[in-house]
Amino acid sequence: MDKDIILRAENVCFAYEDDETNALNGLNVEIERGKKYAVMGANGSGKSTFFFCCNGLHVPASGTMYFEGEPFDYSRQGLLKIRQKVGIIFQNPDDQLFSASVFQEISFGALNLGKSEEEVRKDVEGVIEKLGITPFREKPTYALSGGQKKQVSIADILVMHPELIILDEPAAALDPYHTSLVNQIVDQMTADGITVMMATHDVNYAFRWADQILVFKDGKLLMQGAPQEVFSNKEVLAQTNLEQPAALELFDSLVARGILDASLPVPATLKMLENYIADIQ
């Protein structure tokens, strides 16, 4: 059965005006519908530039972006269509929020889609309730905490019913409570069938959460594969300054010592590893 590819980059190159080297250098990536992708690599490896190409904020210098098999249309109408289907949530919410109040902010994008005010209000109310925004729905956006701003920036995108959501370091600068809250929201997205791409430096989270890991280096895709496959590749980890997830590192050590059987499924979390050890005892 053929894969259902929702988004594809084919030989995509992009360079910023003040940079002599390409931020993306012949990038080839396929994103499958309904999957969870952790996008990893050092700062400057091309992750954010790729994200901006995915919803038309950047136009490739060469190569082609495809959505559902169709090349991107960079006309005003074409970009509006792409940005409804592919939503991006910036690392810094202040780069995304600009309306006076939370309710106005979440309504803005949906109103631009040409929906009636009644439809938009219904959608906004649903997202506000779903994301726990009700207590601060009438607040000015500038008065929100960092975690609240992140919730609102996610609501901005969800209200437009996208098919693919991109999160650029969603937990950056958040406290543990709001990090956990954002992770729960992401889990709900995937449960609702939304394809999710997330840039993260947290190897432990990526290992237990993602279906696929995309590793970027020098504007190219260095490796793509299942978490176990990618994080077992010591050469790729060394090239990108990534560490092995704690559960995998400890599992490999226990197998090497003969304490655990190598035929056991690789544990995605330390809790699963604890259960293996408890079974032995």
Side-chain angles (χ1 to χ4, degrees), residues 14 16 22-25 27 39-51 169 199-201 214-222 239-240 242:
F14 181 89
Y16 294 96
N22 285 346
L24 297 179
N25 193 18
L27 179 67
V39 184
M40 311 193 78
N43 291 336
S45 61
K47 303 186 301 293
S48 294
T49 305
F50 168 58
F51 288 167
E169 293 287 348
T200 178
H201 291 289
L214 305 178
V215 182
F216 278 56
K217 186 176 188 292
D218 299 331
K220 292 184 176 182
L221 184 64
L222 179 63
Q239 286 187 56
T240 52
L242 292 172

Side-chain angles (χ1 to χ4, degrees), residues 146-165:
Q148 290 171 337
K149 287 179 178 179
K150 184 67 74 172
Q151 286 171 266
V152 174
S153 65
I154 293 173
D156 276 356
I157 303 303
L158 282 180
V159 77
M160 294 191 285
H161 304 291
E163 295 180 33
L164 189 157
I165 289 183

Side-chain angles (χ1 to χ4, degrees), residues 103 111 114-126:
F103 192 91
L111 286 170
K115 293 184 176 182
S116 69
E117 288 190 16
E118 183 179 348
E119 283 181 294
V120 170
R121 178 168 290 276
K122 182 179 178 181
D123 284 347
V124 172
E125 293 289 359

Side-chain angles (χ1 to χ4, degrees), residues 40-156:
M40 311 193 78
N43 291 336
S45 61
K47 303 186 301 293
S48 294
T49 305
F50 168 58
F51 288 167
F52 293 157
C53 286
C54 286
N55 84 335
L57 286 171
H58 286 341
V59 180
S62 61
T64 309
M65 296 294 303
Y66 295 88
F67 185 81
E68 295 183 330
E70 296 293 324
F72 275 27
D73 173 4
Y74 293 99
S75 68
R76 185 177 181 278
Q77 195 61 35
L79 287 174
L80 186 64
K81 183 178 178 182
I82 285 293
R83 289 170 188 169
Q84 179 187 355
K85 300 289 187 180
V86 181
I88 182 168
I89 297 158
F90 298 134
Q91 179 175 339
N92 183 354
D94 289 328
D95 293 336
Q96 186 170 335
L97 308 180
F98 59 88
S99 295
S101 74
V102 168
F103 192 91
Q104 288 176 332
E105 174 65 36
I106 300 171
S107 303
F108 180 81
L111 286 170
N112 274 351
L113 297 177
K115 293 184 176 182
S116 69
E117 288 190 16
E118 183 179 348
E119 283 181 294
V120 170
R121 178 168 290 276
K122 182 179 178 181
D123 284 347
V124 172
E125 293 289 359
V127 168
I128 282 176
E129 182 177 355
K130 190 172 189 175
L131 300 192
I133 290 172
T134 303
F136 52 90
R137 55 178 288 156
E138 299 301 336
K139 267 191 170 184
T141 53
Y142 71 81
L144 302 178
S145 70
Q148 290 171 337
K149 287 179 178 179
K150 184 67 74 172
Q151 286 171 266
V152 174
S153 65
I154 293 173
D156 276 356

Side-chain angles (χ1 to χ4, degrees), residues 194-221:
I194 299 172
T195 307
V196 177
M197 282 197 291
M198 179 195 298
T200 178
H201 291 289
D202 187 338
V203 295
N204 294 301
Y205 178 76
F207 187 59
R208 68 176 182 268
W209 172 80
D211 296 314
Q212 290 271 295
I213 307 290
L214 305 178
V215 182
F216 278 56
K217 186 176 188 292
D218 299 331
K220 292 184 176 182
L221 184 64

